[in-house]
Amino acid sequence: MEPAAKQKVIYITYLVAALDITWLFLQFSITPYLARRLGFDTIWFGYLQTTVGVIQLLGGPIYGRFADVFGARAALSVSCLASVVYFLLLAVADNTFMLFVHKLPAVFMHVLPGAQMVVADLSENEKRADALGKLGLCFGIGMIAGSSLGGTLSTQKGSSNSVFNLGEITRLMKFPGVAKTFTVKIISGLPAGIFQVMFSIIAINFFQLKAEQNGYLMAYFGIVQMVIQGAVIGRLTSRFSESSLLMLSVGISSLVGLAQAMMTNVFHFCLIVIPMMFSLSVFNVITDSMLTKSVSPSDTGTMLGLCASVQSLLRTVGPTIGGFLYEAYGVPSFGYIQCIINAAVFSFLLNTGGRSQPNRP
């Protein structure tokens, strides 16, 4: 494709991603309140979140391989269709059974990874982190629009061509540096993932926020993330190495955990959001960029599918672990765990010299 044609496709992909994230965060905002109205307690809401995590954990690798075999366009089409079914089922979910059933199409709902596949395929190596960061800008826009709208609505109402091939996934892990970066992505991301899946409960019970206030807070998240991913990450990636930025994000995440452990009200949390979103945004963009550069172009879809599965894994184990920590030790426990784990990961990266893998073969 000509450079102009590639850029046009990337812009369209940004638009699709922004719209999808808008609807996704809209339902993120209203689901906790809908669950409460249907009689869900904290434990059952945790089961609901775990169900979503399990479904997407199973679907992530399959989706990634599907994209490699049939192309990113087909994968995006399937994801968009799944989203349509998902929201139609949510519209008629008036009991606990239907609230669980409407989560089933989430197995194919991977629009953001699909968009990342397109951007990764069409962008040059040296511009990939910046292009993925721009995609994060769309994420921020969708978060703002979806969270604000959701808060308002809540107040008113087997072979090489096989789609799933475990051997292919194992092969990717053997590329130099991939296993290390992937492990860091899981371990370092676990504490933040637990906090994120429990945040709706923390907002209601700890911060005592109403639905509309929670929507404003999520919109604030989106504004911060939009500024960071749209105006900051691109400049950082052009001046500093990916290994340095990875260590920076992990180090800041450790300090953010300590601050979370000490916060007592929503004002404190609003101050913490800025470094928290910075570390999360840089960490996710840099690890995705490093992993896709470490494999061949034909494997970027599978790799990004695996990256999406990390988030699904965190949503799977997060509600169970988070529910236990919240009931037994309170909100500060999330911060202390994040501080300790990321401090350990930072020390590991420092001792091993950060990134050791070469660019993709």
Side-chain angles (χ1 to χ4, degrees), residues 117-136:
M117 294 171 196
V118 174
V119 172
D121 286 343
L122 298 181
S123 59
E124 300 176 2
N125 275 354
E126 61 272 15
K127 296 182 179 180
R128 178 162 305 152
D130 184 42
L132 290 173
K134 294 291 193 300
L135 189 59

Side-chain angles (χ1 to χ4, degrees), residues 214-229:
N214 188 38
Y216 292 148
L217 183 59
M218 296 298 290
Y220 171 60
F221 288 175
I223 294 173
V224 174
Q225 185 172 30
M226 181 173 61
V227 172
I228 291 172
Q229 301 215 20

Side-chain angles (χ1 to χ4, degrees), residues 1-10 122 124:
M1 296 176 63
E2 294 293 328
K6 288 184 178 181
Q7 196 61 43
K8 181 179 179 180
V9 173
I10 289 176
L122 298 181
E124 300 176 2

